[in-house]
Amino acid sequence: MPLQYKSNRNVVYSCKYHIVWTPKYRRSVLIEGVDERLKVILSELCTEKACELLAVEIMPDHVHLLVEVDPQFGLHTFVKLAKGRSSRLLRSEFPWLKSRLPTLWTNSYFVSTVGGAPLSVIKQYVESQKHV
């Protein structure tokens, strides 16, 4: 996969991140349609904010994303929006989540830049998480 650059008015960039976060108490609540709905929410957010969702895998107790985010928009802003919007929408659409957890997500998350690793390797890793 060749390196491709994106640009906005001021910056030419290639900023790809592997992001992982978990539900509160690492509960296995991303099941029974919650996982599929979460994929849709994340895809819509990426389209809205001009981010590229390269890969997403949702396990019962954590989320793996591979995204390209504009550095001027900011990774922290993206994660904050993704977790906030998905929590609000999922808890309203799946009321049983409210009774299982005080909040859907933990405050923390893991992030790693793709850096020198080939994007295909990172993408394969994220996609293989469902089958581990």
Side-chain angles (χ1 to χ4, degrees), residues 19-23 27-43 53 55-66 86 90 104-105 126-131:
I19 306 166
V20 181
W21 72 79
T22 65
R27 294 246 171 92
S28 297
V29 295
L30 304 176
I31 54 173
E32 300 174 8
V34 174
D35 52 347
E36 293 304 317
R37 179 63 178 127
L38 179 56
K39 286 181 183 180
V40 171
I41 292 167
L42 294 171
S43 177
L53 186 58
V56 60
E57 282 302 331
I58 302 182
M59 284 7 100
D61 66 345
H62 64 284
V63 177
H64 282 271
L65 292 179
L66 182 60
S86 62
L90 291 173
L104 183 55
W105 306 119
V126 170
E127 290 170 352
S128 73
Q129 289 302 297
K130 194 71 160 186
H131 308 292

Side-chain angles (χ1 to χ4, degrees), residues 100-118:
R100 297 268 328 261
L101 298 166
T103 60
L104 183 55
W105 306 119
T106 61
N107 291 331
S108 57
Y109 59 93
F110 164 84
V111 64
S112 174
T113 57
V114 172

Side-chain angles (χ1 to χ4, degrees), residues 5-128:
Y5 295 100
K6 296 197 174 198
S7 64
N8 61 28
R9 290 185 338 201
N10 306 318
V11 179
V12 177
Y13 63 92
S14 175
C15 298
K16 295 171 181 68
Y17 302 97
H18 176 208
I19 306 166
V20 181
W21 72 79
T22 65
K24 195 82 165 173
Y25 311 123
R26 192 97 190 233
R27 294 246 171 92
S28 297
V29 295
L30 304 176
I31 54 173
E32 300 174 8
V34 174
D35 52 347
E36 293 304 317
R37 179 63 178 127
L38 179 56
K39 286 181 183 180
V40 171
I41 292 167
L42 294 171
S43 177
E44 290 171 352
L45 177 66
C46 285
T47 301
E48 178 185 321
K49 298 300 180 184
C51 299
E52 187 175 354
L53 186 58
L54 302 169
V56 60
E57 282 302 331
I58 302 182
M59 284 7 100
D61 66 345
H62 64 284
V63 177
H64 282 271
L65 292 179
L66 182 60
V67 293
E68 184 164 24
V69 178
D70 182 333
Q72 288 186 315
F73 179 64
L75 179 65
H76 175 71
T77 305
F78 171 79
V79 173
K80 190 169 106 174
L81 276 172
K83 289 170 74 174
R85 181 177 297 180
S86 62
S87 177
R88 186 180 71 254
L89 292 175
L90 291 173
R91 287 165 58 89
S92 70
E93 295 172 23
F94 299 90
W96 57 269
L97 288 171
K98 290 181 186 176
S99 64
R100 297 268 328 261
L101 298 166
T103 60
L104 183 55
W105 306 119
T106 61
N107 291 331
S108 57
Y109 59 93
F110 164 84
V111 64
S112 174
T113 57
V114 172
L119 186 58
S120 59
V121 172
I122 304 296
K123 194 171 185 177
Q124 181 182 4
Y125 170 76
V126 170
E127 290 170 352
S128 73

